[in-house]
Amino acid sequence: MHDETRLLHTAVDDLPFNALTQAVHRASTIVFPTVESFLSRHTQFYDGYSYGLYGHPASRNLATQIAALEGGARSLIVPSGMAAIMVTNFALLRAGDHVLLPDPVYGPSRSSAEKFMSGLGVEATFYDALAGAGIAALMRPNTRLVWVESPASFTMEVQDLPAIAKAAHAHGALVAVDGTWASPLGFKALSLGADIAVQALSKHVGGHSDLLLGSVTVATEELFRRVKDAARFLGLGVSPEDCYLALRGLGTLAARLERQSTSALKIASRLAEHPSVDRVLYPPLPGDAGHAIWRRDFQGSCGVFSVVLQPRDMRRLSSFIEELRLFRIGASWGGLHSLVAPVQLEGARTVAPWREKGPLLRFSIGLEHADDLLEDIEIGLDRYGFDREAAAE
């Protein structure tokens, strides 16, 4: 079955009231028909229902869908993308362990490694995202986990996941991938050697900027039980209403990504020719540094790309962003509405410093007409790059 078909055929409850959509069951307490079933309720922890915190029909349906899309054995739904990252760390790392993370990794993930996991005795090393097989030189006897984020969420480096996974597995380490940029439709991390694939379902899957959810999909049942146990000890549960919204979002995911990707490619291609633009960072562009690996490893893309502008006064940058009519200033992506986010990378890297002189902006292209969005940006860029002194001569 093709992914686009699977997205629209979610298993629903077999009840007399048989609808196309997922029923929402609000419950903390689960009741049992007999004393024996109550006393053995903990045996249902991984596969059944024992308490509302540990799963309900909507979360189980969503997990089944995500696992199928990712090509994994099992998935767990958690309250956010960051929760997906942290529950993976808690499940797989202990005091004395070593973890590797790409230098341009998601900011809160970097902070958690430096300021929180270090306090638990876990040592983190950041590596060049373009290291590929060279990551083998950073492996230690106590390296337990290697994180990959591809593309990087601001600077769009595309990592060589198969090479990294081969090197990590040769040293006995597991590989976890944040594949949120392309969603499970566009990036099948587990098929490329990853052991764990995490998603911020808040973004493309939710698709409407109105929910917070994450997922952890694993290659084996053993890994699933470790992650599920970590979620239990952390007290992580998810709302049935949010799971319902994510299931609804799955139904339109393919159509939204196709529209947003097409618009983004058109806009990014035009912006690459604008005199106020130094570089466009978007792996689907043929001239992008990560294009070859993107073509090899990805089945699709999305509407998120970054732009390096020519250096100008900071006041011009603020005016450019704030005077855009169709783009809101916001940090997320994947929703119906287009967003722009100014990026500050000073001090955010320790291995491969950011060398660009001009400001960096990230755009998330929504479902507005591409020509309207392009016109909005180009008018702003014309103002941004206008040299009043030269014009007065």
Side-chain angles (χ1 to χ4, degrees):
M1 184 185 296
H2 291 83
D3 284 343
E4 293 86 348
T5 303
R6 182 179 288 110
L7 290 171
L8 288 166
H9 288 268
T10 304
V12 296
D13 297 319
D14 185 18
L15 297 171
F17 187 80
N18 196 6
L20 286 171
T21 55
Q22 170 70 52
V24 172
H25 298 276
R26 292 189 57 82
S28 57
T29 300
I30 307 298
V31 297
F32 299 84
T34 66
V35 170
E36 181 181 0
S37 63
F38 174 76
L39 293 177
S40 63
R41 67 192 183 280
H42 300 299
T43 63
Q44 302 297 309
F45 177 67
Y46 299 107
D47 298 297
Y49 303 110
S50 58
Y51 188 66
L53 181 66
Y54 306 136
H56 43 73
S59 67
R60 295 291 167 84
N61 255 337
L62 180 57
T64 299
Q65 287 286 83
I66 297 298
L69 292 173
E70 296 271 25
R74 300 283 294 273
S75 289
L76 179 70
I77 307 302
V78 293
S80 67
M82 188 60 192
I85 292 169
M86 292 307 295
V87 77
T88 300
N89 286 333
F90 278 116
L92 304 180
L93 298 172
R94 298 290 181 269
D97 288 346
H98 176 240
V99 59
L100 288 166
L101 302 97
D103 204 27
V105 72
Y106 176 56
S109 187
R110 171 182 279 273
S111 297
S112 71
E114 293 175 331
K115 301 176 181 180
F116 183 71
M117 296 301 293
S118 61
L120 301 179
V122 175
E123 184 180 359
T125 297
F126 296 94
Y127 67 92
D128 187 339
L130 303 181
I135 200 171
L138 300 176
M139 302 293 296
R140 304 176 185 175
N142 63 332
T143 303
R144 299 287 178 259
L145 182 62
V146 177
W147 275 100
V148 169
E149 181 183 314
S150 188
S153 60
F154 285 122
T155 47
M156 302 292 153
E157 292 93 341
V158 181
Q159 296 193 247
D160 190 342
L161 173 56
I164 292 171
K166 183 178 180 180
H169 291 158
H171 286 78
L174 296 171
V175 177
V177 175
D178 183 342
T180 303
W181 183 86
S183 88
L185 285 184
F187 190 39
K188 309 289 188 183
L190 296 177
S191 72
L192 295 169
D195 304 286
I196 305 101
V198 306
Q199 296 283 335
L201 303 180
S202 316
K203 294 181 169 64
H204 293 311
V205 172
H208 291 73
S209 307
D210 58 4
L211 69 87
L212 292 169
L213 279 180
S215 64
V216 183
T217 304
V218 293
T220 67
E221 177 69 21
E222 186 270 337
L223 278 175
F224 173 75
R225 294 192 173 218
R226 291 171 69 179
V227 172
K228 178 77 170 175
D229 284 340
R232 172 179 56 169
F233 298 136
L234 291 169
L236 299 182
V238 292
S239 156
E241 284 88 353
D242 283 347
C243 292
Y244 167 83
L245 289 173
L247 286 164
R248 186 177 69 173
L250 281 176
T252 60
L253 178 60
R256 286 186 284 106
L257 281 177
E258 182 179 4
R259 169 69 177 270
Q260 291 165 327
S261 300
T262 300
S263 295
L265 187 59
K266 178 178 182 178
I267 295 168
S269 299
R270 285 279 294 274
L271 293 183
E273 301 172 355
H274 196 284
S276 291
V277 172
D278 193 26
R279 265 210 306 159
V280 175
L281 310 175
Y282 189 44
L285 279 177
D288 188 88
H291 181 70
I293 294 179
W294 176 81
R295 287 196 63 183
R296 184 193 70 186
D297 292 347
F298 286 69
Q299 290 79 51
S301 64
C302 71
V304 181
F305 64 87
S306 294
V307 172
V308 181
L309 300 181
Q310 292 287 332
R312 293 290 187 276
D313 185 273
M314 184 62 188
R315 289 171 297 180
R316 286 203 195 187
L317 178 66
S318 297
S319 296
F320 162 56
I321 296 172
E322 292 168 7
E323 290 175 12
L324 291 170
R325 296 180 299 109
L326 301 178
F327 288 83
R328 313 288 181 86
I329 303 172
S332 193
W333 73 67
L336 306 181
H337 302 87
S338 292
L339 298 173
V340 60
V343 183
Q344 292 184 318
L345 293 178
E346 294 80 4
R349 295 177 175 223
T350 55
V351 179
W354 185 245
R355 303 294 186 187
E356 301 290 346
K357 301 300 182 183
L360 179 67
L361 300 179
R362 186 179 68 193
F363 290 96
S364 173
I365 303 303
L367 294 185
E368 302 93 344
H369 197 287
D371 290 344
D372 294 331
L373 296 173
L374 183 57
E375 180 184 33
D376 193 24
I377 297 174
E378 287 183 327
I379 290 173
L381 285 176
D382 290 343
R383 289 194 302 265
Y384 173 80
F386 182 67
D387 189 333
R388 290 177 173 82
E389 292 183 1
E393 294 178 355

